[in-house]
């Protein structure tokens, strides 16, 4: 981009736009980096808003869970945090209200924290632990079924510890999967960009040769 602005063809005028981006010279380079900077800044703002729950953006968590391959793994990571904290709360003998509240807080998501109110209401109405989690309407059915089995077996803390270990292992695999997927995505984007520019330059070069071979 810089060279296309500095060099001039033999006949005068501007160098042709070989890359097809409409950018030339120092101004073109500044525009390109400005666009990239704005894009990165936008991504950073979205991540910050999600982390701090600005504008209630964490309520979009169910939408993220619908993303194929990725959504289920994101939910697994959150459930792993909940299970580990809740198992510890049961071990130390906390009451269900405090246990659920602390476990919901450990997820770091306002979406889960808000659901603890529905769980508290269900407990006050006499619901079991699994019934309270079901009333929160944020947990998958298989998770609630496992909690229900733990309640009926009378080994809540032990079963929750076992469940926490399972979800922790699944969360570790989920993190590895997303790290590999992100790496492959970045490589694919870079590779597509390189191939695009190579083809553009090759087409320009072939077009120049064809023009040179035409009779005057």
């Amino acid at each position: 981009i810089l060279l296309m602005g500095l060099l001039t063809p033999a006949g005068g005028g501007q160098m042709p736009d070989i890359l097809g981006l409409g950018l030339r010279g120092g101004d073109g380079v500044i525009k390109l980096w400005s666009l990239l900077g704005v894009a990165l800044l936008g991504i950073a703002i979205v991540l910050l808003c999600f982390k701090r729950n600005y504008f209630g953006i964490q309520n979009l968590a169910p939408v993220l869970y619908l993303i194929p391959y990725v959504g289920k793994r994101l939910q697994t990571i959150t459930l792993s945090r909940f299970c580990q904290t809740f198992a510890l709360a049961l071990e130390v003998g906390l009451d269900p209200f405090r246990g659920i509240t602390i476990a919901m807080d450990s997820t770091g998501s306002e979406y889960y924290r808000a659901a603890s109110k529905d769980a508290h209401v269900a407990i006050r109405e006499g619901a079991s632990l699994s019934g309270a989690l079901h009333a929160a309407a944020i947990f998958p059915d298989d998770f609630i079924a496992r909690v229900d089995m733990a309640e009926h077996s009378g080994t809540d803390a032990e079963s929750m510890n076992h469940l926490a270990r399972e979800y922790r292992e699944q969360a570790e695999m989920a993190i590895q999967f997303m790290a590999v997927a992100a790496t492959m995505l970045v490589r694919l984007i870079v590779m597509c960009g390189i191939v695009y520019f190579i083809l553009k330059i090759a087409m320009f070069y072939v077009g120049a040769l064809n023009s040179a071979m035409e009779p005057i």
Side-chain angles (χ1 to χ4, degrees):
I1 293 172
L2 182 62
L3 288 176
M4 284 190 295
L6 297 177
L7 301 178
T8 55
Q14 289 183 328
M15 289 288 291
D17 185 10
I18 300 175
L19 302 180
L21 300 177
L23 302 174
R24 290 186 178 86
D27 292 341
V29 173
I30 293 174
K31 289 180 181 179
L32 176 63
W33 284 109
S34 297
L35 290 173
L36 291 175
V38 169
L40 292 175
L41 180 62
I43 294 173
I45 291 175
V46 171
L47 293 177
L48 179 63
C49 288
F50 194 85
K51 182 178 181 180
R52 302 287 181 84
N53 195 33
Y54 293 145
F55 313 110
I57 196 172
Q58 287 186 4
N59 291 324
L60 295 177
V63 178
L64 296 178
Y65 293 159
L66 295 177
I67 300 175
Y69 302 105
V70 176
K72 186 67 176 178
R73 288 169 172 83
L74 289 174
Q75 188 179 36
T76 298
I77 295 172
T78 305
L79 290 177
S80 173
R81 294 178 180 178
F82 176 86
C83 284
Q84 292 182 56
T85 307
F86 195 53
L88 182 60
L90 291 177
E91 282 186 341
V92 299
L94 290 180
D95 61 84
F97 294 100
R98 293 180 62 189
I100 289 179
T101 300
I102 294 174
M104 293 290 196
D105 286 340
S106 69
T107 64
S109 171
E110 290 297 331
Y111 174 68
Y112 281 81
R113 290 191 184 104
S116 63
K117 298 178 181 178
D118 295 329
H120 290 172
V121 171
I123 292 175
R124 290 192 183 96
E125 293 176 352
S128 62
L129 181 57
S130 58
L133 297 182
H134 179 73
I138 58 174
F139 296 99
D141 293 336
D142 57 338
F143 176 78
I144 296 175
R146 296 288 296 275
V147 175
D148 184 58
M149 290 174 59
E151 280 189 296
H152 283 86
S153 65
T155 56
D156 292 4
E158 183 179 347
S159 297
M160 285 302 299
N161 268 317
H162 180 70
L163 192 60
R165 285 193 296 271
E166 284 189 19
Y167 273 100
R168 182 167 61 248
E169 293 173 358
Q170 294 179 23
E172 290 173 355
M173 290 188 293
I175 292 173
Q176 292 176 0
F177 170 82
M178 288 191 292
V180 172
T183 302
M184 296 301 295
L185 179 61
V186 171
R187 290 181 178 178
L188 179 62
I189 292 174
V190 172
M191 184 171 59
C192 289
I194 292 174
V195 170
Y196 169 79
F197 289 127
I198 289 175
L199 290 177
K200 291 290 291 186
I201 294 173
M203 291 173 62
F204 174 80
Y205 180 71
V206 171
L209 289 179
N210 291 334
S211 299
M213 294 176 63
E214 291 180 358
I216 301 176

